Amino acid sequence: MAEDLGELLVPYMPTIRVPKSGDRVYKTECAFSYDSPESDGGLYVCMSTFLGFGREHVERHYRKTGQSVYMHLKRHIRLKATGASGGAFPKRINGRLFLDLENNTEMNTEDYEYEDEAKLVIFPDHFEIALPNIEELPALVTIACDAVLNSKSPYRKLDQESWEEELQVSKFANNLVQIDNGVKIPPSSLFLSGWKCSKCDLQENLWLNLTDGSIMCGRWFCSGSGGNGHALEHHKQMGYPLAVRLGSITPDGADVYSFDEEEAVIDPHLAKHLAHFGIDMLQMQGSENGVLDNEVKPRVNEWEVIQETGLKLKPMFGSGYTGIKNLGNSSYLTTVMQVIFSIPEFQRAYVGNLTRIFDYAPLDPTQDFSTQMAKLGHGLLSGQFSKPPMKSELIEQVMKEEHKPQPKGINTRMFKALMSKGHTEFSSNRQQDAEEFFLHFINLVERNSIGAENPSDVFRFLVEERTQCCQSRKVRYTERVDYIMQLPVPMETATNKEELIAYDLKRREAESAKRPPPELVRAKIPFSACLQAFTEPENVPDFWSSALQAKSAGVKTSRFASFPEYLVVQIKKFTFGLDWVPKKLDVSIDMPDLLDINHLRATGLKSGEEELPDIAPPIIIPDDPNDHSRNHFMEYPDIDESSVMQLAEMGFPLEACRKAVYYTGSMGAEVAFNWIIAHMEEPEPLIIPGCGTVTSTSSHGQNALLNQPPEEIVALICSMGFPRNHALQALRATNNNLERALDWMFSHPESEEGADNVSGCVDTENNPNGIITDSEQEGPRIKDGNGRYELFGIISHAGTSTMSGHYVCHIKKEGRWVIYNDHKVSASERPPKELGYIYFYHRISC
């Protein structure tokens, strides 16, 4: 038999690889779906690329690549036999659980046991070889299989781009022993006494041991902060493994440290472990100074209102009602994506084209934006991962003694890894600003939609900025692109000022007397006041008047030059205090269900207005050009090359990018992007008086400046059998990157036909600068219409700043509001319309 298996595998030996350092082995999640080893069909891992595929997608990979050998992984979950001793470890095939999967935190590990099964499958005949099979398999195959089974999560710190390692579930969490010693830590008493180390009276960097409830200080840091290490000493004496940092506890999680594992970990049963000591995790909110934001601070009401705590919410299942599991401070991403895939344009662009996107996905679909968007959209909209438990299924499971856990949301680790690639903040495990992620996401959609349908067009609008010189009264009108309407919060317009003054007085008295604070009084701001503040003129710092040829006072007002299909409104709740510490304005705003902003339509130059001369500020040229000490303006311009490259990746010519970054003072890619849109018709190169023409140091010379693909790269692609027009289009869409261009061509096969007329393709003869103008795009870049809207989505934030807290979203579907709180999806009873952070409106007909 050994010889037979060896001979059977001989033809496939060149395709079987042993994972090397840096190889990512996807043995827990399909690249095209959310199938895992716990799914009915298990997971197939390619023994060459180490990509994982569900049963519905493995055949596609076989047909596309010819790879025949896969490792099939399946996890079985069974109820333990009657009479099994409680607290026993899960049963393990071959002495161990070899799949690095997250256990279902809602299942009691004392009642269930797990069995992991692995086998080699040879396509197309589906010939199976059970593993392990050391005696009968060739040594190379045995080594490769063992390496795959023992590989770590691909989301760990395996490359230089991900600087923060994914936290792992502690091995002590499931069976943590907690001593019933009567220790209780009611939050109300903390306001009176404060936390302190039980051995040295320190009141910072304190840790609560989850076994005996002792509170002790952490380690001393080189900076002089920290503690005296009493928590670690206590562990060495008693052996209690887990501790949680006080001040970090929120409904979203907390900082948990394992002394034995010597690293930060995840405790999936943290709420239960904290409840043992009288701490209700769902009512908590962390703070930087270690003081508990529970009953001692009024923010608790915000958590309750936003999450609709205490209300009987009916769970919802089916298409469009699938939740997303929280990966630890990832609610900023999940709420944005829930709203995004409730919009028909994004559904059509990705889920509607799912088959084509999957069929033409690159060889590594985990790194392809369109593939992962289609995967997420299908996961949220198919209803496959949002099914109510059926009685017939439960009876069948009892008969077979096998437990099939009901899917409770999807896991977006692969999606988050791609969205955050190269971004320092989003690639971390810290909470982020949902508005910043929304703009980051829009940027990725723009970058990956060149030459294809761009669903983010529904958010884009033009803003007309009117700048007036206060002395000459002359004006200048400019336009810029934007995606969010940001509304300021004028606190001085609160309608309950007397109540706020009385509340503040009572709060100060309570603090002095060390009593619990009074019931919260939240500032009530009229929406009309926010809208009025948006329209008010604002001062322009360092305004240079071309009419006076000197600096002068200037004011700027903004109006809508176009109205988008979907209007995103952000309430600017986050600001800075006098000490420059970020803080959040705790306000209530009566946001309307129906919004009419037609009165904010821009009018352009009015009758009687005189425009400011189009003259740039003068640059004084010294007598001696080499004497830089006399005039620092004559130094070679400092251009932010990182911003230049970000714009270039969007498809703009390099020279246009350099001009935009220079003329916007290197203030960032977003500002420069707006400048490009407003100066589409300016083909002149960047010329600085006294410096001449600013050119790029690219090795391709002028061709690179004009984004004209180098002829040698075009010839190389054409030699592979691709049409020249298709090659040119692919290179322009990928900034002349050969590898990316080839991937682009495979994922845009329809471009082969009629490439001369494809929208977004630039004709270098008629448009030598390569700038894509509105007339060259398929449909308008700006979707204008009337300014009447209806509210359909709310993203709310609970917490003191964007760096902490939790996000929840409410979406109006089928005539009723639905709350999406991580993996929990329910019918909403009281949507918090007055406490939202980002509001989503869609246009309605007049």
Side-chain angles (χ1 to χ4, degrees):
M1 182 65 180
E3 294 181 359
D4 293 341
L5 287 180
E7 292 177 1
L8 177 66
L9 289 170
V10 166
Y12 309 108
M13 293 296 286
T15 66
I16 299 176
R17 294 177 51 229
V18 178
K20 297 180 296 186
S21 176
D23 281 338
R24 291 174 176 261
V25 181
Y26 295 91
K27 63 177 184 178
T28 60
E29 181 182 352
C30 173
F32 293 101
S33 71
Y34 292 96
D35 287 333
S36 73
E38 291 186 356
S39 303
D40 289 343
L43 192 73
Y44 295 82
V45 178
C46 174
M47 293 302 292
S48 177
T49 63
F50 310 118
L51 295 170
F53 302 98
R55 186 165 55 188
E56 296 181 2
H57 301 283
V58 65
E59 293 281 357
R60 178 193 293 108
H61 187 258
Y62 163 70
R63 293 193 303 268
K64 189 173 184 178
T65 65
Q67 172 63 26
S68 300
V69 183
Y70 297 82
M71 180 182 290
H72 182 253
L73 302 173
K74 182 72 175 80
R75 168 165 286 187
H76 302 276
I77 306 175
R78 295 185 177 91
L79 281 168
K80 289 185 178 180
T82 305
S85 59
F89 288 98
K91 180 180 177 182
R92 304 178 180 191
I93 283 185
N94 303 323
R96 63 196 175 101
L97 288 170
F98 47 70
L99 294 181
D100 186 17
L101 295 178
E102 296 178 356
N103 290 333
N104 191 329
T105 58
E106 297 185 6
M107 294 169 52
N108 188 340
T109 55
E110 297 182 0
D111 298 329
Y112 295 93
E113 59 187 10
Y114 301 89
E115 292 185 358
D116 291 345
E117 178 185 6
K119 54 190 174 185
L120 286 181
V121 179
I122 302 177
F123 281 69
D125 299 325
H126 292 265
F127 183 84
E128 298 180 354
I129 304 173
L131 295 176
N133 202 335
I134 300 176
E135 296 82 5
E136 300 180 2
L137 293 178
L140 175 64
V141 178
T142 301
I143 295 172
C145 291
D146 192 58
V148 169
L149 291 174
N150 287 283
S151 61
K152 298 298 183 180
S153 167
Y155 309 109
R156 285 175 176 257
K157 188 178 179 182
L158 295 179
D159 56 16
Q160 297 300 318
E161 295 179 357
S162 179
W163 59 273
E164 183 163 323
E165 187 173 353
E166 290 284 343
L167 299 182
Q168 302 299 308
V169 175
S170 172
K171 63 182 180 181
F172 301 103
N174 288 333
N175 301 289
L176 182 70
V177 176
Q178 292 190 284
I179 301 174
D180 191 7
N181 54 8
V183 174
K184 297 295 179 182
I185 309 176
S188 57
S189 66
L190 294 174
F191 181 81
L192 300 174
S193 60
W195 279 321
K196 63 180 180 179
C197 176
S198 60
K199 290 191 176 182
C200 67
D201 293 337
L202 278 180
Q203 294 185 339
E204 60 181 17
N205 191 25
L206 299 178
W207 294 78
L208 169 70
N209 191 287
L210 291 176
T211 295
D212 64 357
S214 61
I215 297 177
M216 297 187 185
C217 59
R219 298 175 180 178
W220 178 82
F221 302 133
C222 295
S223 61
S225 61
N228 297 317
H230 288 137
L232 180 59
E233 289 181 7
H234 183 67
H235 162 70
K236 291 179 179 179
Q237 294 173 0
M238 309 301 298
Y240 302 150
L242 299 182
V244 59
R245 184 171 67 85
L246 297 179
S248 70
I249 306 170
T250 72
D252 210 25
D255 296 340
V256 181
Y257 187 81
S258 172
F259 294 106
D260 287 334
E261 295 164 288
E262 296 185 342
E263 64 178 351
V265 295
I266 295 175
D267 179 3
H269 308 292
L270 182 60
K272 182 181 73 173
H273 292 157
L274 290 173
H276 180 82
F277 300 109
I279 299 177
D280 186 353
M281 180 176 169
L282 295 179
Q283 303 296 324
M284 305 296 286
Q285 184 175 174
S287 68
E288 296 180 1
N289 59 6
V291 177
L292 189 66
D293 287 348
N294 193 344
E295 296 178 12
V296 303
K297 289 192 177 182
R299 294 285 181 187
V300 61
N301 292 335
E302 184 181 49
W303 290 85
E304 292 176 340
V305 173
I306 288 175
Q307 298 186 95
E308 302 190 49
T309 304
L311 300 178
K312 292 184 179 180
L313 303 180
K314 179 183 177 182
M316 301 194 70
F317 303 94
S319 175
Y321 301 108
T322 302
I324 302 178
K325 296 177 182 178
N326 196 316
L327 305 177
N329 290 325
S330 64
S331 56
Y332 69 92
L333 179 148
T334 60
T335 51
V336 169
M337 298 315 301
Q338 288 283 12
V339 176
I340 287 295
F341 275 110
S342 70
I343 297 175
E345 284 77 2
F346 281 89
Q347 295 176 3
R348 288 195 297 267
Y350 296 106
V351 183
N353 293 319
L354 181 138
T355 301
R356 181 185 65 82
I357 292 174
F358 284 0
D359 285 343
Y360 292 100
L363 294 179
D364 186 359
T366 67
Q367 301 302 308
D368 182 63
F369 180 83
S370 296
T371 300
Q372 294 307 310
M373 282 291 291
K375 171 184 171 179
L376 177 61
H378 180 264
L380 294 176
L381 300 176
S382 65
Q384 182 179 347
F385 302 94
S386 178
K387 298 179 180 178
M390 304 294 291
K391 289 185 178 180
S392 58
E393 293 180 359
L394 295 176
I395 295 174
E396 181 183 356
Q397 291 175 24
V398 172
M399 296 297 293
K400 293 183 176 180
E401 296 185 352
E402 182 165 359
H403 177 77
K404 294 181 180 178
Q406 291 296 324
K408 295 183 181 296
I410 56 179
N411 188 319
T412 57
R413 286 192 185 277
M414 188 178 293
F415 181 81
K416 182 177 184 293
L418 180 61
M419 295 298 106
S420 61
K421 187 176 181 180
H423 195 289
T424 303
E425 288 301 319
F426 295 140
S427 61
S428 73
N429 287 321
R430 295 186 295 273
Q431 189 63 278
Q432 304 297 329
D433 189 345
E435 181 259 351
E436 290 183 4
F437 177 76
F438 173 78
L439 292 176
H440 173 72
F441 170 76
I442 292 298
N443 183 28
L444 291 176
V445 175
E446 297 275 359
R447 190 183 306 174
N448 289 276
S449 298
I450 298 176
E453 180 183 1
N454 185 353
S456 68
D457 287 347
V458 299
F459 295 122
R460 191 186 302 110
F461 59 92
L462 286 176
V463 176
E464 178 191 86
E465 292 187 340
R466 176 185 181 273
T467 307
Q468 183 176 36
C469 172
C470 296
Q471 189 169 345
S472 67
R473 311 304 295 174
K474 295 183 179 181
V475 298
R476 175 182 293 118
Y477 285 86
T478 58
E479 289 185 347
R480 61 176 174 84
V481 172
D482 212 334
Y483 296 90
I484 294 182
M485 180 185 187
Q486 296 182 314
L487 289 184
V489 180
M491 296 297 293
E492 67 278 3
T493 63
T495 58
N496 57 339
K497 292 181 181 179
E498 293 183 0
E499 296 178 36
L500 289 172
I501 294 173
Y503 165 75
D504 188 61
L505 180 61
K506 292 179 181 179
R507 181 182 59 81
R508 293 176 183 273
E509 292 176 351
E511 287 181 357
S512 300
K514 294 186 178 181
R515 295 195 308 268
E519 184 178 352
L520 169 69
V521 176
R522 183 174 285 115
K524 297 180 180 179
I525 310 296
F527 173 75
S528 57
C530 298
L531 206 59
Q532 180 63 32
F534 173 82
T535 63
E536 291 294 326
E538 57 179 301
N539 294 325
V540 181
D542 295 324
F543 175 70
W544 187 86
S545 172
S546 59
L548 305 175
Q549 295 287 296
K551 284 189 176 183
S552 173
V555 293
K556 179 178 67 176
T557 55
S558 300
R559 294 293 186 273
F560 285 85
S562 68
F563 292 124
E565 189 73 20
Y566 289 83
L567 179 66
V568 184
V569 179
Q570 177 201 15
I571 305 299
K572 298 176 69 174
K573 290 186 174 183
F574 298 101
T575 182
F576 290 93
L578 297 177
D579 52 0
W580 290 99
V581 174
K583 68 175 184 178
K584 177 180 174 182
L585 302 176
D586 194 357
V587 296
S588 172
I589 301 176
D590 57 333
M591 295 296 293
D593 287 310
L594 297 177
L595 174 62
D596 190 339
I597 56 173
N598 278 301
H599 63 284
L600 298 181
R601 168 78 73 171
T603 59
L605 189 67
K606 301 181 182 65
S607 176
E609 289 184 332
E610 186 177 353
E611 288 191 90
L612 285 164
D614 192 11
I615 303 174
I619 299 179
I620 302 174
I621 302 177
D623 296 333
D624 182 5
N626 295 322
D627 185 7
H628 295 285
S629 62
R630 294 184 57 183
N631 193 329
H632 68 278
F633 291 109
M634 288 309 302
E635 296 181 4
Y636 195 84
D638 183 17
I639 297 178
D640 182 8
E641 291 296 337
S642 62
S643 297
V644 173
M645 295 313 299
Q646 287 184 51
L647 293 172
E649 288 179 357
M650 298 180 190
F652 294 112
L654 192 58
E655 179 65 10
C657 300
R658 294 178 66 81
K659 284 182 65 176
V661 173
Y662 170 75
Y663 282 119
T664 55
S666 294
M667 296 178 64
E670 183 179 353
V671 178
F673 174 81
N674 294 331
W675 190 95
I676 288 181
I677 298 300
H679 298 77
M680 282 289 195
E681 306 300 328
E682 299 182 7
E684 295 82 4
L686 176 56
I687 300 177
I688 308 299
C691 295
T693 302
V694 178
T695 59
S696 171
T697 57
S698 171
S699 59
H700 296 303
Q702 190 66 16
N703 280 345
L705 290 178
L706 300 179
N707 202 33
Q708 173 64 21
E711 190 59 37
E712 60 270 22
I713 300 182
V714 177
L716 179 60
I717 296 179
C718 291
S719 68
M720 301 178 188
F722 294 101
R724 177 179 175 83
N725 287 329
H726 195 192
L728 290 171
Q729 185 183 7
L731 287 168
R732 293 190 186 104
T734 57
N735 199 29
N736 298 333
N737 183 294
L738 176 59
E739 183 178 357
R740 289 174 54 202
L742 291 173
D743 278 343
W744 190 94
M745 295 174 77
F746 281 113
S747 60
H748 296 77
E750 71 280 2
S751 299
E752 296 179 18
E753 300 178 4
D756 290 332
N757 298 320
V758 173
S759 64
C761 182
V762 183
D763 184 354
T764 55
E765 293 182 4
N766 299 324
N767 186 358
N769 292 287
I771 299 179
I772 301 175
T773 60
D774 291 356
S775 61
E776 293 167 334
Q777 296 247 336
E778 181 180 4
R781 287 179 57 88
I782 305 298
K783 296 187 175 183
D784 198 5
N786 76 81
R788 296 189 71 245
Y789 296 92
E790 181 179 3
L791 181 67
F792 78 95
I794 308 168
I795 293 179
S796 308
H797 175 269
T800 55
S801 77
T802 56
M803 297 178 291
S804 63
H806 181 62
Y807 287 96
V808 175
C809 74
H810 289 71
I811 304 175
K812 194 174 185 179
K813 291 187 175 182
E814 299 177 336
R816 69 174 304 167
W817 285 95
V818 180
I819 177 174
Y820 293 80
N821 188 359
D822 293 336
H823 66 280
K824 301 184 290 291
V825 181
S826 309
S828 173
E829 296 294 333
R830 299 175 189 170
K833 298 179 184 179
E834 71 283 356
L835 296 182
Y837 174 46
I838 303 176
Y839 295 84
F840 294 81
Y841 288 84
H842 66 84
R843 193 193 335 261
I844 56 177
S845 58
C846 293

